[in-house]
Amino acid sequence: MTDTPVRLLNLLSLLQTPREWPGSELAERLGVSPRTIRRDIERLRDLGYPVQATMGAVGGYRLAAGAAMPPLVLDDEEAVAIAVGLRAGAGHAVEGIEEASVRALAKLEQVLPSRLRHRVTALQAATVPLTWGDGATVDPRTLTVMASAATGHERLRFTYRTGEGVETKRLVEPNRLVSTGRRWYLVAYDNDREDWRTFRVDRVSEPFATGARFEPRELPVENAAEFIKGSMPRPQSELRLVVTLHAPAAGVAARLPHWMGAPQPVDDGTCRLDTEFPGSVEWVAFHLTMLDCDFEVHEPEGLVAYARVLGERITRAAAGGTAPEARA
């Protein structure tokens, strides 16, 4: 292999595998001498890749974590796997998938060869996701178009459908995408209305970047997340939730939606959740039962009563019984 750039990329791809490579094995894989491998290792170090070397009979080379992250080299299977994962998470607004994931997806899809892009699309089309709740799904391509336009300060056109089903054409200067865990929103300056607006991404169709650049405007609030909070209707009231959960706090926190707060440990096998929440007791009861652990509801009274009714209903279902009003 005499093409130095190609050889360096292949060497980097091998070193990104989490193992230690003997110099002789690298030389054999790449069809060069051990001396050439040593020179190539130095070239990678000069480019900022922290390649570590160990001496001895079982020594070799490995890529260590550095202070900064240089570019990664992915093979076809890795690129497809990452793109599919990012698309799935972004498309269904999975909790914890924020704007950084969409930016990563936009960058990755921009450089994917057409043959790999077709594979990603085919895999996603053949997959049926299982989602909970009423969080609306969005097309990941819509997110990537918006993210690219916001990053490149490029005006964006799209069709927007209101909650009443009315469709309008919009020309905007996109600022940021914001994920609330259940939905995606675009914060943008609406050029026709000459004001800042919030758009639900699942109601957007046919988005495309116009190519016209704009000078970023200053938001009327500190950041896009604050703008979203201010534009969304506030809940009529919040209820205090007090629950004892018979499971370690760390395990409960990993499965608990962020809007329900953080449980505090009581002991190694018990924790307590004391928080305020907007929404219905039915919705909260659903999330508590999905935690797969025993729990005791202390407040509010409405949730205590609903949990009692729900428990009786599930007990009857498990016993094959009928509802009380249907009994003779």
Side-chain angles (χ1 to χ4, degrees), residues 76-85 87-88 92 115-129:
D76 287 3
E77 301 302 324
E78 292 166 340
V80 169
I82 291 174
V84 169
R87 273 193 175 197
H92 300 283
R115 57 187 172 82
L116 297 185
R117 198 174 294 115
H118 291 325
R119 287 177 59 185
V120 172
T121 302
L123 274 171
Q124 188 180 30
T127 303
V128 178

Side-chain angles (χ1 to χ4, degrees), residues 62-292:
R62 62 186 296 270
L63 196 63
M69 188 180 72
L72 297 175
V73 176
L74 304 173
D75 62 29
D76 287 3
E77 301 302 324
E78 292 166 340
V80 169
I82 291 174
V84 169
L86 288 172
R87 273 193 175 197
H92 300 283
V94 174
E95 198 166 304
I97 301 294
E98 304 298 338
E99 188 191 358
S101 299
V102 179
R103 294 200 309 269
L105 178 59
K107 292 177 182 177
L108 181 59
E109 293 204 335
Q110 184 177 5
V111 298
L112 276 181
S114 59
R115 57 187 172 82
L116 297 185
R117 198 174 294 115
H118 291 325
R119 287 177 59 185
V120 172
T121 302
L123 274 171
Q124 188 180 30
T127 303
V128 178
L130 178 63
T131 56
W132 298 100
D134 60 353
T137 60
V138 297
D139 186 342
R141 288 170 295 184
T142 299
L143 288 171
T144 55
V145 169
M146 289 180 168
S148 297
T151 302
H153 303 150
E154 196 172 348
R155 286 195 176 97
L156 189 70
R157 286 190 181 276
F158 54 81
T159 300
Y160 190 70
R161 185 186 75 259
T162 66
E164 291 74 33
V166 179
E167 291 190 348
T168 56
K169 301 292 185 181
R170 301 297 183 99
L171 174 65
V172 304
E173 297 173 2
N175 178 274
R176 295 292 292 271
L177 283 163
V178 178
S179 170
T180 63
R182 293 166 59 194
R183 291 194 179 96
W184 281 98
Y185 293 88
L186 172 70
V187 175
Y189 185 85
D190 192 315
N191 294 93
D192 295 326
R193 290 154 181 79
E194 298 183 345
D195 198 6
W196 289 96
R197 290 289 189 272
T198 297
F199 302 94
R200 268 181 53 173
V201 177
D202 59 291
R203 294 177 178 171
V204 170
S205 60
E206 303 173 348
F208 70 93
T210 64
R213 305 287 177 176
F214 64 87
E215 189 68 26
R217 302 172 189 263
E218 186 174 348
L219 276 167
V221 293
E222 184 178 353
N223 53 51
E226 289 299 320
F227 188 84
I228 290 290
K229 290 180 181 178
S231 63
M232 295 177 70
R234 296 187 179 275
Q236 295 182 348
S237 62
E238 290 194 344
L239 298 175
R240 187 183 178 203
L241 173 65
V242 183
V243 183
T244 297
L245 301 119
H246 297 282
V252 171
R255 301 190 298 272
L256 199 68
H258 69 86
W259 54 266
M260 290 184 70
Q264 300 300 315
V266 176
D267 52 42
D268 291 343
T270 309
C271 60
R272 190 177 180 89
L273 185 63
D274 188 339
T275 185
E276 292 185 347
F277 70 94
S280 67
V281 294
E282 293 85 359
W283 185 243
V284 174
F286 165 77
H287 279 286
L288 290 174
T289 55
M290 291 301 295
L291 293 176
D292 195 26

Side-chain angles (χ1 to χ4, degrees), residues 281-321:
V281 294
E282 293 85 359
W283 185 243
V284 174
F286 165 77
H287 279 286
L288 290 174
T289 55
M290 291 301 295
L291 293 176
D292 195 26
C293 69
D294 292 338
F295 62 89
E296 301 162 18
V297 179
H298 307 293
E299 295 184 42
E301 283 298 327
L303 181 56
V304 173
Y306 182 78
R308 185 179 297 113
V309 172
L310 182 61
E312 293 172 354
R313 185 179 302 150
I314 294 173
T315 300
R316 288 194 301 271

